[in-house]
Amino acid sequence: MQKEYNEIIEQATAEHKLEKDEIETLLSCEGSTLKLLFAAADRVRRTFMGDEVHLRGLIEFSNYCQRNCAYCGLRESHKSLPRYRLDTAEIVAIAGAAVPLGYKTVVLQSGEDSAYSAELIAVIACRLKEELGLAVTLSLGERSEEDYRLWRNAGADRYLLKHETADVELYGALHPDMTWENRKKSLYLLRELGYQVGSGCMVGLPGQTLSSLAKDLLFLKELDVEMAGIGPFIPNPNTPLAKAERGSVELTLKMIAIARLLMPQAHLPATTALGSIDSKGRQKALVAGANVVMPNITPNKYRRLYEIYPNKICLDDNPAHCRNCIGGIISSLGRTVAEGAGHSPKEQFTLGLG
Ligand code: 5AD
Ligand code: SF4
Ligand code: FES
């Protein structure tokens, strides 16, 4: 006999484990049960991660990409998009300006752009760490084992590589010339190299089912990620998925809440994509399990060109303005901005680290 919703939520809150069919059941809950799910996730977040919200300053340093992901506006086939690359001095200056705003971590993100040699990225990561005292997250897509190792040795703390979807067929359909097997291999490699690993998925991709989404959560749990970014799919008019429907706010929030129950110690961002389709999206995520925000610290003139999906928030705002805005959101929820580096609370990452 199928367990009641309440029973499943209680069990997940206590044991942080769920079967695939139980996840699917929770993903379809509504009304008072949905409220119960969000409240349980919020409680688990407070117990394991506290009331602090960690800020990660996002630097979108190159919008060049060699890939052709069907959903993404940076895809190589989007020829009319003006492309830009920031150099080392610009990146260090942007990160330097984020320090007085209170940032302790920067995320270096780009499309898959081989114009940046592994050595160059290593130098940048090293300078951000040594000169500015920042924790460094890299998010540069799939690269070779040697590259990942070089960067880790240069001091990069974390690597963010979303798995996008754990539905193998859907993964294949959305990613020409890429395979689920490679993605998985890269993620396990990053884990072996001692990175704090971030992954994550989109919600509401065309063809995605509740079964696909349950697989996403089970994959994140199996990989035992230190961070999981879960955001809605937003159709981009410059891609083959222009006419697809966007992901729902509610389903995205359910995914975040269940992720919190399953992975009490994972950092879960209230994603920019969620904030872009719902003006209160990030606030809603922060009270449904999320404990991280990743404000954009890319200079204004480049933001517009990092057009992964349309109507991204903060396009006309500068880093200081976004920092203020986020500070306001966090205090309005009775939460505080974290003072530390925000490493994973797992023991292997806190011993000897800030
Ligand atoms: N809608 C939502 N998220 C997207 N991403 C890329 N395209 C879209 C889209 N259309 C996300 C992917 C990728 C990250 C850079 O942005 O998850 O990992
Ligand atoms: Fe490139 Fe990443 Fe966009 Fe895929 S999702 S096209 S790899 S920037
Ligand atoms: Fe950029 Fe609110 S976070 S304006």
Side-chain angles (χ1 to χ4, degrees):
M1 204 183 77
Q2 203 183 16
K3 283 186 208 161
E4 293 294 329
Y5 287 111
N6 302 16
E7 205 183 322
I8 300 175
I9 294 171
E10 259 174 51
Q11 175 206 320
T13 304
E15 297 169 17
H16 315 298
K17 271 196 297 224
L18 286 170
E19 299 296 330
K20 181 161 176 285
D21 62 325
E22 294 172 330
I23 296 177
E24 287 176 46
T25 302
L26 284 190
L27 285 171
S28 58
C29 72
E30 291 175 334
S32 60
T33 321
L34 184 56
K35 286 215 175 86
L36 214 63
L37 171 64
F38 292 160
D42 198 40
R43 245 186 353 263
V44 172
R45 185 269 309 155
R46 181 170 300 127
T47 306
F48 285 83
M49 306 302 267
D51 277 333
E52 290 191 327
V53 177
H54 298 276
L55 300 187
R56 320 296 197 194
L58 180 66
I59 307 178
E60 299 159 335
F61 69 92
S62 160
N63 70 347
Y64 279 84
C65 188
Q66 290 141 220
R67 301 290 193 181
N68 258 311
C69 305
Y71 43 81
C72 177
L74 303 191
R75 64 205 305 274
E76 201 260 342
S77 302
H78 183 196
K79 300 289 186 195
S80 62
L81 180 71
R83 307 279 174 162
Y84 69 89
R85 289 190 175 105
L86 304 189
D87 65 20
T88 306
E90 285 173 292
I91 296 171
V92 174
I94 293 164
V99 173
L101 295 177
Y103 286 99
K104 303 294 192 308
T105 295
V106 287
V107 181
L108 291 182
Q109 187 165 82
S110 67
E112 292 204 9
D113 183 3
S114 56
Y116 292 82
S117 69
E119 290 72 24
L120 180 58
I121 297 293
V123 167
I124 298 170
C126 184
R127 288 190 58 185
L128 299 181
K129 261 202 101 67
E130 300 302 320
E131 293 174 24
L132 300 172
L134 289 162
V136 176
T137 302
L138 298 178
S139 181
L140 286 64
E142 291 182 21
R143 297 279 290 235
S144 70
E145 177 170 355
E146 297 80 72
D147 291 6
Y148 291 150
R149 181 172 291 114
L150 183 75
W151 300 335
R152 178 77 189 113
N153 290 335
D157 303 277
R158 313 183 187 132
Y159 203 99
L160 171 56
L161 181 68
K162 293 202 189 177
H163 71 274
E164 313 294 3
T165 173
D167 180 321
V168 183
E169 245 173 64
L170 186 57
Y171 189 96
L174 295 173
H175 302 102
D177 308 320
M178 298 171 84
T179 67
W180 167 250
E181 277 313 308
N182 271 342
R183 197 62 156 196
K184 205 168 150 177
K185 212 169 111 198
S186 301
L187 284 162
Y188 277 94
L189 196 58
L190 291 163
R191 145 95 42 264
E192 270 171 41
L193 291 169
Y195 282 99
Q196 296 171 52
V197 175
S199 196
C201 59
M202 280 171 283
V203 178
L205 288 163
Q208 196 178 38
T209 61
L210 293 189
S211 162
S212 320
L213 291 170
K215 284 184 198 160
D216 285 321
L217 291 171
L218 289 173
F219 175 70
L220 291 165
K221 168 100 177 150
E222 172 200 299
L223 183 61
D224 193 21
V225 290
E226 279 71 52
M227 195 280 260
I230 298 171
F233 159 69
I234 306 171
N236 185 322
N238 302 299
T239 66
L241 299 182
K243 298 253 166 344
E245 243 180 84
R246 72 169 198 210
S248 101
V249 173
E250 188 175 282
L251 190 55
T252 305
L253 291 169
K254 286 179 189 172
M255 284 288 287
I256 294 171
I258 301 169
R260 173 56 69 209
L261 299 184
L262 289 173
M263 298 173 286
Q265 291 196 308
H267 284 305
L268 299 180
T271 53
T272 303
L274 193 58
S276 297
I277 62 166
D278 180 332
S279 60
K280 290 272 183 284
R282 289 175 299 179
Q283 286 89 326
K284 290 176 185 172
L286 285 169
V287 297
N291 72 320
V292 169
V293 185
M294 296 172 63
N296 201 329
I297 59 168
T298 313
N300 232 243
K301 60 178 170 178
Y302 301 116
R303 287 190 186 197
R304 219 161 257 296
L305 302 177
Y306 207 83
E307 200 185 27
I308 295 176
Y309 49 78
N311 304 316
K312 226 169 128 191
I313 43 171
C314 308
L315 290 186
D316 294 318
D317 304 301
N318 64 34
H321 179 90
C322 288
R323 174 62 185 82
N324 255 334
C325 166
I326 288 292
I329 289 176
I330 292 169
S331 42
S332 76
L333 297 172
R335 309 266 280 275
T336 55
V337 174
E339 306 245 322
H343 290 299
S344 164
K346 290 183 197 166
E347 209 171 56
Q348 68 263 40
F349 299 113
T350 49
L351 291 174
L353 291 171

